[in-house]
Amino acid sequence: AKEAGKNNCQFYAKGMSASAVNFLLLENDLRRGIDQNQLVLHYQPQVDLATGKLIGVEALVRWQHPERGMVSPMHFIPLAEETGLIVPLGDWVLKEACHQQQSWLGSDLDVPKMAVNLSTRQFRQKDFPGKVAMVLRDTGLPAQYLELEITESCAMEHASETINQLNQLNQMGLSLSIDDFGTGYSSLAYLKRFPIDKLKIDSSFIHDIPLDQNDAAIARSIIGLAHNMQLTVVAEGVEQEQQVQWLRENHCDQVQGFLFAKPMSATNFKAHFNAAGEF
Ligand code: C2E
Ligand code: CA
Ligand code: CA
Ligand code: CA
């Protein structure tokens, strides 16, 4: 296997699997993608269940790959997280989202809040609160229009550091929410010490309600827990009218899902929102 022209074989012989090679190619691609402005944000509405009013949007990143087309974050966020590219990527997302929200504030579109997802590595940076402050200052966005989402598993992983980080962010006046709630292992002792505003019920518990009794019981418990802690609760992945009805009966505050709207580009969002007025 050492003959000339067998470089590929040597490459693999050094212990690299095909998927590891693929990973490297993708990493370079993503690095270039970030530099060449191939990332875009789409925005998905969050709606108040009682009034049908828009209460905010969640920014969701997409990668407009020159050959592969629109790539889902599920396919590159884990890679970005593993390679550290999530830091520049996350910086870009935060800045772009704040910039967009600031420009909506100055328009006739009434978008009350912009929610941005944080990855673990991004959130754990020592200077992260300082970075957020700088982005708010640079874009001119008042902190009250920004919400940051961290996943339950991220929040609970180093819970005492989480408290510290969340306290700094809370003091800046922005909102904080716990994403994918119910999928991690929450310590309620910590949860009550987090200065958070919102729990987002993971879509896996919403999917089969009202039929699945266990999921319904879990969703009901999360709603109760949130309300007992004076938190707002949002159901994610709402696709059916029956789910809305159940969520309304069970006093969930807000909903987000394809039934109301899919994530949209800023341009489409403006068109959709102007036509509908409310959801
Ligand atoms: P997430 O934060 O839980 O976001 C919700 C996901 O559910 C989004 O997928 C959204 O498009 C999708 N979704 C919303 N409503 C429905 C529905 O009714 N049915 C179904 N089946 N799906 C629905 P998306 O945009 O593919 O994002 C996937 C995940 O990638 C996000 O899950 C989040 O964990 C991550 N992600 C997306 N954007 C960012 C980002 O800017 N930064 C970081 N760190 N992670 C991001
Ligand atoms: Ca989220
Ligand atoms: Ca607060
Ligand atoms: Ca989620």
Side-chain angles (χ1 to χ4, degrees), residues 203-213 215-216 240 243:
S203 57
S204 60
F205 303 113
I206 303 303
H207 193 264
D208 295 326
I209 57 168
L211 278 184
D212 188 307
Q213 298 291 307
D215 287 346
Q240 294 161 13
Q243 296 166 333

Side-chain angles (χ1 to χ4, degrees), residues 41 44 58-62 72-74 77 86 89 93 117-119 122 149 179-180 236-239 256-259 261 263:
L41 293 184
Q44 187 179 36
E58 177 178 3
L60 295 155
V61 70
R62 274 98 185 83
S72 151
M74 264 128 46
I77 292 287
I86 195 71
L89 190 158
V93 168
N117 290 286
L118 302 181
S119 78
Q122 194 183 5
E149 300 189 359
D179 204 356
D180 303 345
E236 285 194 291
V238 177
E239 294 180 348
Q256 187 179 344
F258 293 171
L259 182 67

Side-chain angles (χ1 to χ4, degrees), residues 15-266:
M16 266 188 141
S17 66
S19 73
V21 173
N22 198 19
F23 195 83
L24 274 184
L25 290 176
L26 198 63
E27 182 188 350
N28 283 331
D29 237 24
L30 181 56
R31 200 181 294 278
R32 202 177 316 118
I34 296 169
D35 290 343
Q36 296 183 352
N37 293 316
Q38 292 170 7
L39 299 181
V40 286
L41 293 184
H42 281 189
Y43 303 95
Q44 187 179 36
Q46 300 180 329
V47 178
D48 184 289
L49 254 184
T51 64
K53 286 209 158 59
L54 179 74
I55 46 99
V57 296
E58 177 178 3
L60 295 155
V61 70
R62 274 98 185 83
W63 180 9
Q64 267 174 327
H65 192 280
E67 287 118 42
R68 296 170 199 238
M70 200 71 100
V71 185
S72 151
M74 264 128 46
H75 292 119
F76 63 90
I77 292 287
L79 168 84
E81 176 83 13
E82 215 168 310
T83 55
L85 280 175
I86 195 71
V87 171
L89 190 158
D91 288 348
W92 180 84
V93 168
L94 184 65
K95 191 154 190 193
E96 177 69 14
C98 289
H99 179 74
Q100 181 61 63
Q101 178 63 15
Q102 165 63 17
S103 83
W104 275 333
L105 284 181
S107 77
D108 53 0
L109 269 192
D110 186 17
V111 183
K113 202 162 272 201
M114 170 67 68
V116 175
N117 290 286
L118 302 181
S119 78
T120 303
R121 201 140 153 176
Q122 194 183 5
F123 177 71
R124 295 284 165 219
Q125 294 170 98
K126 282 279 168 293
D127 63 341
F128 183 69
K131 268 193 177 177
V132 176
M134 218 148 69
V135 170
L136 290 173
R137 203 192 51 207
D138 289 351
T139 58
L141 182 70
Q144 81 230 48
Y145 296 105
L146 177 64
E147 178 167 297
L148 297 177
E149 300 189 359
I150 57 169
T151 64
E152 180 185 29
S153 47
C154 167
M156 291 297 161
E157 201 179 7
H158 298 285
S160 58
E161 283 166 34
T162 298
I163 294 175
N164 190 16
Q165 204 78 325
L166 291 180
N167 277 336
Q168 288 186 59
L169 293 165
N170 181 42
Q171 274 155 19
M172 290 162 50
L174 43 82
S175 325
L176 298 162
S177 64
I178 304 290
D179 204 356
D180 303 345
F181 195 82
T183 61
Y185 300 93
S186 259
S187 149
L188 299 183
Y190 278 121
L191 193 64
K192 72 171 187 192
R193 294 176 59 198
F194 294 162
I196 52 172
D197 304 280
K198 223 187 228 192
L199 296 183
K200 300 189 76 175
I201 307 174
D202 190 72
S203 57
S204 60
F205 303 113
I206 303 303
H207 193 264
D208 295 326
I209 57 168
L211 278 184
D212 188 307
Q213 298 291 307
N214 292 327
D215 287 346
I218 292 169
R220 210 181 278 115
S221 306
I222 297 176
I223 294 168
L225 175 70
H227 287 165
N228 285 329
M229 296 175 73
Q230 331 293 342
L231 303 175
T232 301
V233 59
V234 191
E236 285 194 291
V238 177
E239 294 180 348
Q240 294 161 13
E241 194 53 53
Q242 279 173 299
Q243 296 166 333
V244 176
Q245 216 175 330
W246 187 94
L247 288 162
R248 206 176 265 130
E249 281 162 15
N250 286 277
H251 311 293
C252 185
D253 303 306
Q254 300 170 0
V255 282
Q256 187 179 344
F258 293 171
L259 182 67
F260 299 89
K262 291 197 166 173
M264 298 169 267
S265 68

